Amino acid sequence: MTNVSDPIAKTVQPELEQFMQGLIKRNPGEMEFHQAVREVAESVMPFVMDHAKYRDAQILERMTEPDRIVIFRVTWEDDQGSIRANRAWRVQFSNAIGAYKGGLRFHPTVTLSVLKFLGFEQVFKNSLTGLPMGGAKGGSNFNPRGKSEREVMRFCQSLMVELHRHIGEDTDVPAGDIGVGTREIGFMYGMYKRLENRVAGVLTGKGLTFGGSLVRMEATGYGCVYFCENMLNHRGDSLESKTVAISGSGNVATYAAEKVVQLGGKVVTLADSDGFIHDPAGIDEQKLEFVKELKEVRRGRIQEYTERFASATYHEGKRPWGVACDVALPCATQNELDGDDARTLLAHGVQVVGEGANMPVTPEGIRLLLDGKIFYAPGKAANAGGVAASGLEQSQNALRLSWSRDEVDERLRSIMREIHDKCVEHGNENGFINYQQGANIAGFVKVADAMLAYGVV
Ligand code: NDP
């Protein structure tokens, strides 16, 4: 969030409010979308007002209107033979710098507002990776929790019966997100191949035997930790011996934890939507294997961790931010770390907050972290490793090649370093690096310049 005591920010406050009022009027009730746009507009508006070429072309107004939204019904049959209907969306936000790219989310909290916020964020994130990818997001209010594998398969197949018309390797390339992992991508890709009779890099996050990339599964969590390591290195420090609190126990959380452990840090928490576990002895690689099996194979609850490891305690209905740590990595979902959590973390001396999830810190939380002058890494920079590896999967599919684990990991590391450096370049405020400002402006410039080049379209 731009510091409103900054003289440039102060002078554009009326323009910002007028812009936001228009956006809210055009998109009523879409709270998550308003929040995501305000977060970007607060940093970018002073920059736009300072550059006539962006201001006169109404770039911010155009960027906040998705290119296209597809809404459709997904009908499927459950194991009892009852007919069920869900709603699904694909928000194709911007293809200014490349084909649409972004995940699919299956969760009961999915609404158009949530997908518009995620699609908007994705435009900036994909721009930051340096790869030619536009931004999109999709998903459904389908709840995978408690569903059998057959039910999940039938749902994925039915969804693809409609979605296949709207995607393609040069048009729109979906991937996974909450509730959509390798299993669901496999089911959707199987149906896509059947409908289209072609093998193409039209989804990423595929299994390794049919076009997937090594390190894609690990990439978001690993990338987030590489980003935090870059921030600490920037001031001559590292993750070695740091205590790290992580929320979530899904794809992003478990691989973030794995990389922290590999870099010498100590992970003390993991969570799911029911509560969190605190293991002061540290969650090492062996304990993480248990968590992966619990969550990916048995699809159980994190509470089970305490039955296996006596060093841990379970905290029902709570979030992990009350646990003292040097580094906090929110890796579950949006708005999961609020102002009170930020105050508690700061009181405990937190040095780094890296967003593995999308928009996990609330606006008040961000303001407090920035005022506290700690390292705050916004998701569009810190979790861009996932989509970057998806971009690398697309390249391998196009080349009909598979790169080695080390090759993909090295490219991922170097992309995260480059994103970090772009944030430093655009976010330097008299020596303090405002990574939020840096990420928003760096992401904006590339997309805006492409839009200007196309003329008024
Ligand atoms: P997963 O479905 O693998 O895991 C999600 C985790 O978050 C689970 O532990 C889940 O708990 C928990 N969770 C979900 N909803 C809530 C909630 N409302 N309150 C508390 N906890 C919740 O998803 P991912 O790990 O893939 O995604 C996590 C975050 O990272 C999301 O914000 C996603 O958009 C973002 N992200 C993911 C990328 C990827 O490559 N997968 C790329 C970039 C960002 P439970 O088991 O109880 O549901």
Side-chain angles (χ1 to χ4, degrees):
M1 188 165 298
T2 300
N3 183 350
V4 286
S5 60
D6 169 359
I8 306 174
K10 232 182 205 164
T11 57
V12 303
Q13 201 63 25
E15 284 84 358
L16 176 69
E17 290 312 323
Q18 193 184 6
F19 166 75
M20 283 307 301
Q21 276 171 22
L23 182 108
I24 292 167
K25 204 168 164 192
R26 288 193 300 280
N27 303 277
E30 297 183 351
M31 308 299 286
E32 295 85 358
F33 182 50
H34 304 164
Q35 182 182 335
V37 172
R38 179 178 278 277
E39 188 268 318
V40 168
E42 282 182 348
S43 341
V44 167
M45 186 66 90
F47 183 78
V48 170
M49 298 312 285
D50 230 20
H51 294 79
K53 63 177 181 175
Y54 302 131
R55 191 184 57 219
D56 297 346
Q58 306 287 337
I59 288 288
L60 259 186
E61 283 75 4
R62 289 159 64 188
M63 266 190 189
T64 48
E65 203 59 58
D67 288 352
R68 181 179 306 103
I69 300 173
V70 185
I71 307 180
F72 54 101
R73 183 186 65 238
V74 182
T75 314
W76 56 284
E77 190 175 351
D78 68 20
D79 287 345
Q80 285 69 46
S82 300
I83 306 301
R84 310 279 284 263
N86 284 94
R87 184 175 298 170
W89 297 261
R90 184 70 182 163
V91 179
Q92 295 180 332
F93 221 107
S94 166
N95 65 358
I97 60 169
Y100 302 109
K101 182 94 198 78
L104 295 169
R105 177 178 291 192
F106 295 169
H107 197 271
T109 56
V110 168
T111 60
L112 180 57
S113 170
V114 167
L115 296 178
K116 280 169 74 175
F117 119 61
L118 290 164
F120 180 70
E121 284 278 299
Q122 198 80 44
V123 174
F124 291 81
K125 183 187 311 192
N126 294 3
S127 165
L128 281 171
T129 65
L131 301 174
M133 298 185 290
K137 202 81 188 189
S140 172
N141 56 6
F142 173 75
N143 186 0
R145 194 162 160 181
K147 301 288 188 301
S148 71
E149 185 151 306
R150 288 301 170 114
E151 289 175 326
V152 171
M153 181 183 76
R154 287 195 289 272
F155 177 82
C156 289
Q157 291 174 336
S158 178
L159 181 126
M160 189 49 81
V161 167
E162 176 60 37
L163 189 64
H164 83 105
R165 299 178 226 280
H166 310 288
I167 61 175
E169 67 271 40
D170 295 320
T171 315
D172 183 355
V173 184
D177 191 75
I178 291 178
V180 179
T182 312
R183 177 183 71 168
E184 290 74 18
I185 294 287
F187 291 150
M188 287 189 273
Y189 187 53
M191 190 48 127
Y192 176 87
K193 276 181 355 80
R194 189 146 186 228
L195 291 163
E196 296 276 334
N197 190 25
R198 57 196 295 271
V199 174
V202 72
L203 289 167
T204 56
K206 297 187 290 296
L208 292 176
T209 52
F210 54 95
S213 172
L214 287 161
V215 193
R216 170 61 191 94
M217 194 154 67
E218 297 90 334
T220 309
Y222 278 20
C224 177
V225 175
Y226 290 150
F227 194 92
C228 294
E229 179 81 339
N230 280 316
M231 291 198 291
L232 286 162
N233 290 168
H234 191 69
R235 66 151 197 222
D237 201 350
S238 80
L239 274 165
E240 174 96 47
S241 304
K242 296 276 186 299
T243 300
V244 182
I246 298 181
S247 64
S249 50
N251 174 270
V252 181
T254 47
Y255 289 105
E258 184 168 286
K259 187 49 73 179
V260 168
V261 173
Q262 286 171 8
L263 294 180
K266 182 180 178 187
V267 178
V268 291
T269 69
L270 285 173
D272 61 22
S273 51
D274 293 337
F276 79 93
I277 55 109
H278 178 206
D279 187 347
I283 302 168
D284 58 19
E285 287 192 340
Q286 181 216 337
K287 291 172 176 175
L288 270 175
E289 283 313 311
F290 168 81
V291 174
K292 284 185 205 159
E293 198 267 338
L294 171 71
K295 292 307 238 181
E296 282 169 28
V297 182
R298 287 192 287 124
R299 297 181 190 267
R301 311 306 300 158
I302 198 68
Q303 182 173 13
E304 258 193 61
Y305 183 97
T306 53
E307 291 162 21
R308 176 72 182 270
F309 303 108
S311 51
T313 50
Y314 178 63
H315 304 263
E316 174 92 35
K318 296 227 164 63
R319 304 191 285 213
W321 314 127
V323 172
C325 61
D326 305 305
V327 177
L329 303 179
C331 294
T333 193
Q334 62 269 12
N335 294 327
E336 54 159 318
L337 195 163
D338 63 16
D340 288 342
D341 297 322
R343 278 186 202 91
T344 309
L345 285 168
L346 289 165
H348 286 151
V350 74
Q351 297 165 41
V352 175
V353 175
E355 294 188 333
N358 284 309
M359 208 168 76
V361 185
T362 63
E364 188 195 11
I366 296 173
R367 186 176 53 73
L368 288 163
L369 298 176
L370 290 179
D371 287 352
K373 300 283 180 216
I374 64 142
F375 288 124
Y376 160 68
K380 60 175 74 70
N383 70 35
V387 76
S390 278
L392 300 178
E393 182 175 331
Q394 284 179 264
S395 302
Q396 292 168 78
N397 292 163
L399 293 166
R400 286 160 166 62
L401 284 176
S402 291
W403 295 333
S404 70
R405 168 171 285 274
D406 284 349
E407 191 166 355
V408 181
D409 193 33
E410 193 38 50
R411 284 176 196 258
L412 172 66
R413 269 177 200 266
S414 110
I415 289 171
M416 296 314 294
R417 198 164 39 242
E418 283 161 20
I419 297 175
H420 173 269
D421 294 350
K422 283 181 209 162
C423 293
V424 171
E425 185 190 336
H426 291 276
N428 196 332
E429 292 175 345
N430 306 318
F432 171 69
I433 309 300
N434 182 335
Y435 285 87
Q436 181 194 35
Q437 172 100 348
N440 283 337
I441 293 180
F444 169 85
V445 168
K446 185 174 173 190
V447 179
D449 286 347
M451 290 170 73
L452 290 182
Y454 298 137
V456 181
V457 289

